[in-house]
Amino acid sequence: MTDRIMHFLRNRREDGPCLVVDLDVVRENFGAFAQALPDTRVFYAVKANPAPEVLDLLAKLGSCFDTASVVEIEQVLATGASPDRISFGNTIKKERDIARAFALGIRLFAVDSEAEVEKIARAAPGSKVFCRILCDGDGAEWPLSRKFGCVPEMAAQVLEQAHRLGLVAHGLSFHVGSQQRNPRMWDGALASASAIFRDLAERGLTLQMVNLGGGFPTKYLKDVPAVKAYGQAIFESLRKHFGNRIPETIIEPGRGMVGNAGVIEAEVVLISKKSAADAMRWVYLDIGKFNGLAETMDEMIRYPIRTAFDGDEAEPCVIAGPSCDSVDVLYEKEPYPLPLSLEIGSKVLIEGTGAYTTTYSAVGFNGFPPLKSYVI
Ligand SMILES: *Cc1c(COP(=O)(O)O)cnc(C)c1O
């Protein structure tokens, strides 16, 4: 929570939950990344929060952008950033979208299969490609599983294929899992990456770049290491595995760039119990899984929730959203302590919600509007 957000909310008159993002915090986060990883270019992961004000600020600060669709590419271009500052980082693209991106000037693409390389060779000839390798996501609170990437042996083949088809085999990428609380988790992926670099060099192909992905955490309830600790751990691993031939590196922070810049104000709609004998309160908010808090899925992300009654006696309760879908329960497996003095109609502040909230919000499910957002 910042004074600017507090001031904004005090003067807000409209109804309904809203997210407020403080650009000063985004600016500080960008500076912290630049300082912690001074030789690494930042490609902000647009999906975390594509608000035009956020993209404009980052473009002005010199950031590059990781995008996953033609619409995201257009959102970045609208800031005036040139296409050489944009990567098309999704490994799963329609060929006609690759062609549209190419027409817009995009020349850097992610792949993780030979079939995708073939599409890029046809639709974006001569472009640079980097191949994503699988990462197990251990230690991450929001692991990315096996959807993206291929095993290291396949990555070498994919890049050789790219080279054969006239593309530039530029490098490798990985993602250690989102909300990665262990700075050492980049080490295993960098060991694999360096082995692929050596293997391909022996076959006459010199890679240039390692894309270190996202994963940098936001502080929710538990403490997380500072970005400086990530910079140090990553630099040590680069030294260990690449010696004095450290490749060009980029990072793609999403959550770590905007998560702590946002606060959601929501309202208590109902406090009730399931039976007279049951001590457990159910607290229903006007925000839930479908209008902003999708990352409470499996209770993976546990947001700090502030109320005007903090400090009063608190007891665990179940917190649920407003929709008529029974999966719209935020915290039940591990009930969440809220003050007993909390009342129907009270406002609550949900912190650390600058990333993956507006973009995960459904359009009108049950008639609830998508999460409103203000960037100040
Ligand atoms: C979502 C995504 C990111 C951002 O991840 P965070 O954990 O939010 O930093 C980075 N790179 C790629 C390819 C992504 O899909």
Side-chain angles (χ1 to χ4, degrees), residues 154-330:
M154 186 180 273
Q157 285 167 19
V158 164
L159 289 168
E160 278 193 312
Q161 160 92 337
H163 178 71
R164 269 198 304 278
L165 295 180
L167 297 168
V168 179
H170 189 51
L172 295 166
S173 74
F174 55 83
H175 196 302
V176 294
S178 203
Q179 187 66 8
Q180 175 54 263
R181 294 175 62 230
N182 181 357
R184 302 248 150 244
M185 285 310 293
W186 274 258
D187 191 67
L190 284 169
S192 301
S194 73
I196 300 169
F197 266 59
R198 279 194 301 276
D199 181 27
L200 282 175
E202 279 167 19
R203 299 194 238 165
L205 203 59
T206 311
L207 301 181
Q208 304 288 337
M209 187 273 289
V210 176
N211 176 346
L212 303 160
F216 306 93
T218 282
K219 184 184 180 311
Y220 297 111
L221 284 174
K222 290 182 232 164
D223 273 328
V224 295
V227 63
K228 197 168 159 215
Y230 288 80
Q232 278 165 356
I234 288 170
F235 185 71
E236 280 167 26
S237 293
L238 282 166
R239 268 254 171 276
K240 179 165 113 197
H241 300 296
F242 288 90
N244 54 12
R245 308 180 71 175
I246 293 181
E248 180 193 327
T249 51
I250 68 179
I251 50 170
E252 300 174 329
R255 190 186 303 280
M257 188 70 84
V258 290
N260 66 340
V263 174
I264 285 173
E265 184 181 67
E267 182 180 323
V268 177
V269 181
L270 178 67
I271 303 175
S272 63
K273 290 181 178 173
K274 296 296 166 193
S275 77
D278 194 354
M280 183 67 76
R281 288 170 302 159
W282 280 64
V283 174
Y284 300 88
L285 304 178
D286 61 355
I287 188 164
K289 278 204 167 67
F290 299 101
N291 56 345
L293 302 182
E295 287 205 312
T296 56
M297 207 183 294
D298 294 332
E299 308 193 15
M300 280 197 273
I301 298 293
R302 222 169 152 78
Y303 295 106
I305 301 177
R306 310 266 170 245
T307 75
F309 306 96
D310 289 354
D312 292 0
E313 192 188 342
E315 273 188 17
C317 57
V318 177
I319 304 181
S323 73
C324 289
D325 191 312
S326 57
V327 308
D328 192 9
V329 174
L330 308 180

Side-chain angles (χ1 to χ4, degrees), residues 340-363:
L340 290 168
S341 43
L342 191 71
E343 293 169 347
I344 292 172
S346 299
K347 291 286 199 292
V348 300
L349 297 171
I350 309 171
E351 295 185 329
T353 42
Y356 304 121
T357 50
T358 52
T359 39
Y360 276 163
S361 167
V363 177

